[in-house]
Amino acid sequence: MQITRLATPTHETVLRVHDASIGLTGFIAVHSTKLGPAAGGLRMRPYNSEDAALTDALRLAEGMTYKNAAAGLPLGGGKAVIMGDAAQKTSAHLLTFARAINTLEGDYWTAEDMGMSPADMALLATETKYVAGLPDGPHASGDPSPITARGIFNSIRVTAKHRFGSEDLTGRTVAVQGLGHVGTYLCEFLHTAGAKLIVADIDAKRVAALAAKYDAQTAGPDDILTVNADILAPCAIGAILNVDSIAKLNVAAVCGGANNQLATAEDGARLHTRGILYAPDFVANAGGIINVATEVLATGNRAAYVDEKLSAVESTLDRIFARAKTMDCSPSDVAVAIVDEMLADKAA
Ligand code: NAD
């Protein structure tokens, strides 16, 4: 295995991990350890080039710095990628990569991301201790989705308070795009709170099942972005809030679980200009990383730790919306500025 340290002005440490004998090329990007060890998942997917894989690792690692800091976790941001089809993954790929993670001596903790399973994390753990998302063991944190959904539900209530003057969701219509792990749990929370649902997924069976269970209206996967509702909750894919879709939105607020909902940073301002209140995704969907943090930090009493951090996320979002109103700007810009201040304070 060859490990090459790449110099980047934006990230603390970036490693290229290569082993031609087993067809492995990947990158580990540590964006920041100012607040604690960098934590973020390991992703395996085909990339067109090494540049594309490196760019993805750098972008995702930076995103984790913001997500972990906004959640009030003593963790920095990092991410790792392996180039290739996850269906072609071998034990040799994972064990070699685990040895590369060890060279960072705890500056980077990995966990599941696209193309990885709890079983893969268990295999990594035979070679490195810097891994979370394990299927079992004393600190295993299990499926993060229910906690992620709880955090989004709480964030929707905070969003409703700022947009409509009340957290009460009774009779409010929420359009949910994506009925996977997170979307399904979120629908349950919303239905229990008395909200009306409009649901969409590319999987028609999921749509039919959820519609029947919660007496929800349905919409096509693209139409969900134009339906008339109070709040849109994107829980499927990223970059769905862009110059075209924002012009057609028919909601007063957006708050959901999908990562990287804004196609570009300017799309936060576009939403603001249209008077649509946007809950920054990396704040609203932090429940998942909070759950993983209980494992990385071996917090013990997981439920209490999760409750405390989820409640802090509500306060942070409240503060973000209040500041955005005062400054007449996008909550996403405020969220980024707040984390930048936290990092600057730590450096001072
Ligand atoms: P998932 O794969 O279980 O569910 C995604 C759902 O979206 C699937 O049902 C899929 O059919 C549907 N979908 C895909 N493309 C779609 C489209 N164009 N229109 C409508 N539906 C579409 O994933 P998940 O774990 O529920 O995560 C959902 C999102 O939340 C992702 O962006 C993920 O990165 C993010 N997220 C998840 C967690 C977590 O704890 N699982 C934590 C933080 C962020």
Side-chain angles (χ1 to χ4, degrees):
M1 169 179 54
Q2 286 174 301
I3 298 181
T4 316
R5 207 168 264 263
L6 308 178
T8 57
T10 49
H11 289 59
E12 282 179 18
T13 311
V14 181
L15 302 182
R16 176 181 182 269
V17 182
H18 183 66
D19 189 335
S21 70
I22 56 168
L24 171 74
T25 303
F27 296 91
I28 304 173
V30 173
H31 176 254
S32 169
T33 56
K34 273 186 193 149
L35 300 178
L42 167 61
R43 170 173 291 198
M44 182 166 185
R45 52 166 285 217
Y47 289 96
N48 290 333
S49 65
E50 282 201 28
D51 264 1
L54 174 60
T55 302
D56 208 26
L58 295 175
R59 185 182 62 88
L60 292 166
E62 183 174 4
M64 289 309 300
T65 296
Y66 284 85
K67 184 185 288 210
N68 293 340
L73 297 170
L75 294 173
K79 203 88 179 183
V81 304
I82 295 178
M83 297 179 69
D85 182 350
Q88 314 287 326
K89 183 191 336 159
T90 65
S91 307
H93 287 142
L94 292 175
L95 294 174
T96 304
F97 209 78
R99 286 194 282 278
I101 290 171
N102 279 338
T103 66
L104 290 168
E105 298 176 336
D107 270 358
Y108 170 66
W109 276 73
T110 200
E112 265 174 271
D113 197 82
M114 218 180 266
M116 291 291 149
S117 68
D120 293 329
M121 296 304 109
L123 184 60
L124 287 172
T126 63
E127 200 59 61
T128 181
K129 62 180 178 182
Y130 307 116
V131 55
L134 297 172
D136 43 47
H139 302 295
S141 59
D143 178 9
S145 314
I147 312 284
T148 304
R150 230 173 90 199
I152 297 160
F153 173 70
N154 295 345
S155 298
I156 287 178
R157 287 173 54 88
V158 176
T159 306
K161 184 178 93 179
H162 282 264
R163 188 64 182 81
F164 308 117
S166 165
E167 289 196 350
D168 188 0
L169 298 177
T170 312
R172 292 260 167 241
T173 304
V174 184
V176 181
Q177 182 191 45
L179 307 173
H181 290 94
V182 173
T184 302
Y185 285 112
L186 179 63
C187 284
E188 190 174 332
F189 283 119
L190 291 167
H191 177 76
T192 306
K196 293 183 211 155
L197 297 172
I198 307 177
V199 294
D201 197 290
I202 48 174
D203 182 336
K205 278 194 197 141
R206 289 184 183 181
V207 175
L210 263 280
K213 191 169 178 190
Y214 299 127
D215 194 21
Q217 285 182 59
T218 63
D222 295 328
D223 299 339
I224 194 76
L225 297 177
T226 58
V227 293
N228 185 2
D230 293 308
I231 297 171
L232 170 68
C235 296
I237 49 171
I240 48 118
L241 300 172
N242 52 51
V243 64
D244 295 328
S245 68
I246 290 170
K248 293 181 197 149
L249 287 178
N250 211 355
V251 292
V254 177
C255 178
N259 279 315
N260 304 320
Q261 290 167 34
L262 301 177
T264 66
E266 292 74 41
D267 292 311
R270 284 197 180 94
L271 286 163
H272 178 67
T273 304
R274 278 216 53 205
I276 298 171
L277 188 62
Y278 172 64
D281 50 23
F282 66 85
V283 180
N285 74 13
I289 192 68
I290 289 171
N291 194 58
V292 167
T294 62
E295 206 172 332
V296 174
L297 303 167
T299 56
N301 200 341
R302 166 167 303 117
Y305 189 84
V306 165
D307 285 352
E308 183 206 318
K309 291 294 172 192
L310 283 184
S311 155
V313 166
E314 282 184 66
S315 311
T316 302
L317 189 57
D318 206 40
R319 197 153 55 97
I320 289 169
F321 284 147
R323 205 199 276 189
K325 187 174 180 192
T326 309
M327 294 174 65
D328 190 18
C329 71
S330 156
S332 48
D333 290 342
V334 171
V336 168
I338 283 180
V339 173
D340 286 340
E341 284 162 20
M342 288 167 78
L343 296 175
D345 283 352
K346 196 74 189 174

